[in-house]
């Protein structure tokens, strides 16, 4: 929503539709589980339990977070912040990548002509600084 021309449609999806879909799905799963209890948990017990556990993305996220130490990029950094500013006739973009510990990995600056950015979007931005990559100790 903070980017130019943003409609907020993705935010509306995340705030209203996504929780609504999850609530309906959970209620439907509970109703079907109660209705088919004998069939699912006595005749097909193992497959039912596995399917019920993995019917949400939560187990996948837990598995990724606990097994992959450097979740994000190849060295564990992720984009923690970014902003856009107009400076004269140029559009400046800044990305701050950091480690999970909060230590800064790199600050990246890009520039684009305002006209190019309107027509080409993110493809208009070109590297505009010397990027110094830091390890977790700084």
């Amino acid at each position: 929503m903070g980017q130019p021309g943003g409609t907020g449609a993705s935010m509306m999806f995340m705030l209203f539709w996504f929780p609504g879909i999850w609530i309906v799905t959970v209620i439907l799963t509970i109703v079907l589980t109660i209705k088919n209890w004998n069939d699912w948990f006595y005749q097909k017990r193992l497959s039912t339990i596995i399917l019920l556990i993995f019917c949400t993305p939560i187990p996948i996220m837990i598995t990724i977070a606990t097994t992959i130490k450097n979740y994000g990029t190849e060295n564990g950094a992720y984009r923690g912040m970014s902003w856009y500013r107009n400076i004269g006739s140029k559009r400046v973009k800044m990305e701050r990548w950091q480690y999970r510990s909060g230590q800064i990995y790199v600050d990246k600056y890009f520039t684009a002509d305002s006209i190019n950015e309107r027509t080409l979007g993110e493809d208009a931005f070109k590297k505009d600084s010397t990027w110094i990559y830091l390890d977790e100790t700084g």
Side-chain angles (χ1 to χ4, degrees), residues 65-121:
T66 57
T67 59
I68 301 174
K69 177 182 180 248
N70 296 327
Y71 180 63
T73 63
E74 67 279 354
N75 60 0
Y78 65 96
R79 185 170 56 192
M81 169 182 89
S82 62
W83 54 253
Y84 295 82
R85 289 203 178 118
N86 291 326
I87 300 176
S89 65
K90 300 282 185 187
R91 183 98 170 128
V92 177
K93 171 185 169 186
M94 186 278 240
E95 292 180 358
R96 172 165 285 170
W97 290 74
Q98 59 192 39
Y99 294 102
R100 294 205 176 279
S101 64
Q103 173 64 37
I104 295 173
Y105 173 57
V106 65
D107 285 339
K108 296 180 177 183
Y109 291 90
F110 305 87
T111 58
D113 291 329
S114 295
I115 301 295
N116 290 341
E117 195 257 336
R118 285 190 184 116
T119 57
L120 299 174

Side-chain angles (χ1 to χ4, degrees), residues 15-34:
L15 289 177
F16 297 108
W17 288 104
F18 193 67
I21 291 169
W22 267 58
I23 289 169
V24 168
T25 304
V26 167
I27 290 171
L28 184 63
T29 302
I30 291 170
V31 169
L32 289 174
T33 301
I34 292 170

